[in-house]
Amino acid sequence: MNVAELEQQVKQKLPSIGPNKLRELVRLVYEIAKREQMDPRELLPVEEKLTFEAVKKKLLKRRYPATFKTAAKNQFYLPKLELDPSRRADLTPRPFYPKTVYIETAVTDSELAARVRAAFPKADFKETDGKTQVGSDNFSRRTETLFIHREKYDFLKPCPCSCGSAGCGYNLINLGFGCRFECEYCFLQQYQNLHAVLLPANIDEFLEKLAVGKFNKGLFDRPRIGSGEFTDSLVFDDLTQYSQKLVPFFRERPQWQFEFKTKSTNIGGLLQVGGCENVVVSWSVNSSKITDRAEHFTPDLTARLAAACEVAKAGYRLGFHFDPVVIYDGYQPDYVRTIQQMADTLPPDKIAWISVGTLRFSRELKKQIETRFPENFILDGEFLLDFDGKMRYDTAQRQEVYRFLVPLLRKTFPQTQVYLCMEDPAVTRSFL
Ligand code: SF4
């Protein structure tokens, strides 16, 4: 669908409409026509004589059938529609092979730099003082540039969670920035302003900071520390070999738990270094419709669970994150199938925790998703501006998800801690 054509159609219906009203109606027509896979012209028959207010009300009712009556007017977010075809995600399957590799002078002799030189002999290698701007102007081309650097400041921090949400006391180390998977909901699309993959070569400095860290244990028996905020924890592990240093480090510190969060099956390093009770390897899991259609380039659910079984056999504990849960027609039976597949496959006594969180995103991310993945279905649900300024399903819809999933998970995996991620404290309390 073309934005200019949509504007033309709305103007035909309401010729004297101003720019703000035009923006709102174009947005509504676009979202309805996309979700219902219909010709947008059918939504605005020219012969029907209606005012702007009447047209808007009619379209809002159709776009938000479950929440139109209960949502406050200012919860509907109707920004300008800007579909830029040059920003579409490139979903052509390809191996990770950067065209240009920048290595910061301070780490040019590091083990990681040596491995990268051996892995990508055809890449153009450049040494940099770390001040030069690297990367593409287009997020979709971020994997063309790899930057091996020395991290100086951003080692450890408490998880920022989401403003006003109930935190779980998580702690983060930033081992990498950028990912080669293309999950349609990934917040990096909007957050990452340096369009490259950044990997720190000074893992030993991270471990020095960790060794003297003071951590909050939150909801859990021991503090949890993880590395999967700005990248997938294992997607580059064959290259970085961070697992080779992290696992022995945490093996000596059983008072803490470390979590690798991944969708990958890149577990060779973990198997090589051997299992460890206080290292939890967590997979993001979802209905097959989401893993197959919205998490591009990632291994499917069966492959993720097979990898989980292997690391459990090696002595690691497991974690799973049903995040983001997406509501669509028939979503419940699909999620039941995923849980059944987990129950049929996994050793239940090895599962340390399972989190559940519904799809949420910032306003800016919504626009990124629709321009990068114009055929997405994940935005077709009824998202409203919510307590933390993010777009979420309304409280009733989220509670429906949790009332369905949380008891089912607790019944299926009775030894496992099941908790909600980034939720309104009032909603979280009712599922503790
Ligand atoms: S695996 Fe995580 S970091 Fe990578 S694209 Fe998906 S959501 Fe983003």
Side-chain angles (χ1 to χ4, degrees):
M1 245 176 299
N2 173 312
V3 180
E5 280 169 16
L6 285 169
E7 286 180 353
Q8 197 51 39
Q9 274 171 37
V10 173
K11 279 186 186 160
Q12 266 179 9
K13 174 92 184 149
L14 294 160
S16 51
I17 196 169
N20 289 336
K21 291 178 178 176
L22 178 67
R23 161 179 59 79
E24 293 189 340
L25 296 191
V26 165
R27 159 69 52 189
L28 286 165
V29 169
Y30 167 75
E31 292 190 6
I32 296 166
K34 171 179 160 291
R35 182 175 65 190
E36 299 182 21
Q37 298 190 350
M38 63 185 294
D39 185 335
R41 279 170 296 203
E42 291 169 34
L43 281 166
L44 293 176
V46 181
E47 60 281 7
E48 204 180 43
K49 297 289 170 224
L50 290 174
T51 60
F52 164 77
E53 285 72 21
V55 174
K56 183 176 171 186
K57 188 172 173 188
K58 185 176 148 184
L59 294 176
L60 276 174
K61 256 185 174 167
R62 186 153 173 175
R63 175 64 185 89
Y64 298 93
T67 52
F68 173 72
K69 285 198 181 137
T70 48
K73 277 191 184 141
N74 61 4
Q75 285 189 284
F76 299 115
Y77 176 57
L78 306 173
K80 188 169 170 54
L81 182 64
E82 292 164 314
L83 303 174
D84 178 354
S86 71
R87 300 262 146 192
R88 276 181 87 130
D90 176 3
L91 299 180
T92 321
R94 55 198 183 275
F96 175 64
Y97 201 112
K99 288 184 181 161
T100 311
V101 178
Y102 291 88
I103 301 189
E104 197 178 334
T105 309
V107 293
T108 191
D109 297 325
S110 62
E111 290 170 21
L112 180 54
R115 275 196 298 278
V116 166
R117 285 192 195 97
F120 306 115
K122 293 188 190 146
D124 181 13
F125 280 82
K126 295 182 178 173
E127 193 171 318
T128 167
D129 58 5
K131 293 179 193 132
T132 323
Q133 183 67 28
V134 303
S136 163
D137 62 348
N138 187 338
F139 179 81
S140 296
R141 295 177 53 201
R142 67 197 177 284
T143 55
E144 292 177 8
T145 309
L146 176 60
F147 181 30
I148 306 300
H149 70 110
R150 175 177 171 235
E151 180 55 60
K152 296 178 200 68
Y153 314 105
D154 195 7
F155 293 99
L156 274 173
K157 63 178 182 192
C159 175
C161 196
S162 182
C163 183
S165 296
C168 65
Y170 205 74
N171 305 281
L172 290 161
I173 58 170
N174 286 330
L175 282 172
F177 208 135
C179 184
R180 72 180 178 86
F181 294 148
E182 279 285 11
C183 302
E184 294 186 352
Y185 49 78
C186 181
F187 85 109
L188 292 176
Q189 299 172 88
Q190 168 262 317
Y191 187 81
Q192 187 172 9
N193 50 20
L194 203 157
H195 300 150
V197 172
L198 280 73
L199 297 172
N202 54 330
I203 171 89
D204 293 330
E205 281 187 75
F206 279 84
L207 298 183
E208 280 167 24
K209 306 275 181 203
L210 266 173
V212 294
K214 298 265 179 289
F215 302 108
N216 176 359
K217 71 183 176 67
L219 302 172
F220 294 80
D221 61 335
R222 289 172 277 179
R224 298 187 309 155
I225 303 152
S227 61
E229 186 189 19
F230 295 135
T231 183
D232 179 291
S233 298
L234 291 176
V235 66
F236 299 117
D237 195 58
D238 52 323
L239 193 62
T240 62
Q241 298 187 8
Y242 294 148
S243 59
Q244 305 300 298
K245 302 230 169 167
L246 287 165
V247 175
F249 177 89
F250 281 94
R251 193 177 279 135
E252 286 174 11
R253 292 165 178 82
Q255 71 278 19
W256 297 336
Q257 317 189 74
F258 186 78
E259 182 181 35
F260 291 96
K261 266 190 193 173
T262 192
K263 293 187 179 93
S264 83
T265 51
N266 198 6
I267 55 171
L270 292 175
L271 299 180
Q272 193 183 331
V273 73
C276 179
E277 183 276 337
N278 60 322
V279 173
V280 175
V281 191
S282 290
W283 271 267
S284 170
V285 284
N286 221 306
S287 72
S288 294
K289 183 166 172 175
I290 299 298
T291 57
D292 296 347
R293 289 178 48 188
E295 296 176 349
H296 306 280
F297 306 147
T298 65
D300 65 13
L301 181 66
T302 304
R304 293 181 208 179
L305 297 184
C309 288
E310 277 198 69
V311 300
K313 261 191 231 144
Y316 295 96
R317 285 187 304 145
L318 304 174
F320 294 93
H321 299 286
F322 277 86
D323 203 346
V325 175
V326 180
I327 299 175
Y328 54 83
D329 283 347
Y331 79 98
Q332 293 200 0
D334 285 357
Y335 281 88
V336 169
R337 269 190 287 280
T338 294
I339 294 170
Q340 191 56 51
Q341 194 176 343
M342 290 167 67
D344 292 344
T345 321
L346 301 166
D349 57 322
K350 291 281 192 172
I351 306 176
W353 53 71
I354 300 177
S355 77
V356 182
T358 48
L359 180 58
R360 58 217 173 259
F361 43 85
S362 67
R363 300 168 218 218
E364 299 77 23
L365 181 54
K366 173 176 170 146
K367 296 184 80 172
Q368 284 292 329
I369 297 171
E370 69 189 4
T371 201
R372 297 194 69 241
F373 303 97
E375 280 91 32
N376 80 79
F377 69 92
I378 62 171
L379 294 181
D380 290 347
E382 298 187 35
F383 295 96
L384 301 171
L385 284 170
D386 212 324
F387 67 95
D388 54 357
K390 285 194 178 150
M391 309 212 58
R392 294 172 181 261
Y393 299 115
D394 79 339
T395 307
Q397 289 190 314
R398 301 203 310 276
Q399 281 177 323
E400 180 191 284
V401 169
Y402 301 137
R403 271 198 290 269
F404 147 64
L405 273 180
V406 173
L408 179 60
L409 287 166
R410 286 187 175 142
K411 189 167 156 233
T412 312
F413 303 104
Q415 294 148 278
T416 299
Q417 184 158 359
V418 177
Y419 66 100
L420 304 189
C421 186
M422 292 194 191
E423 246 314 336
D424 181 338
V427 174
T428 300
R429 271 194 296 279
S430 54
F431 290 92
L432 282 176

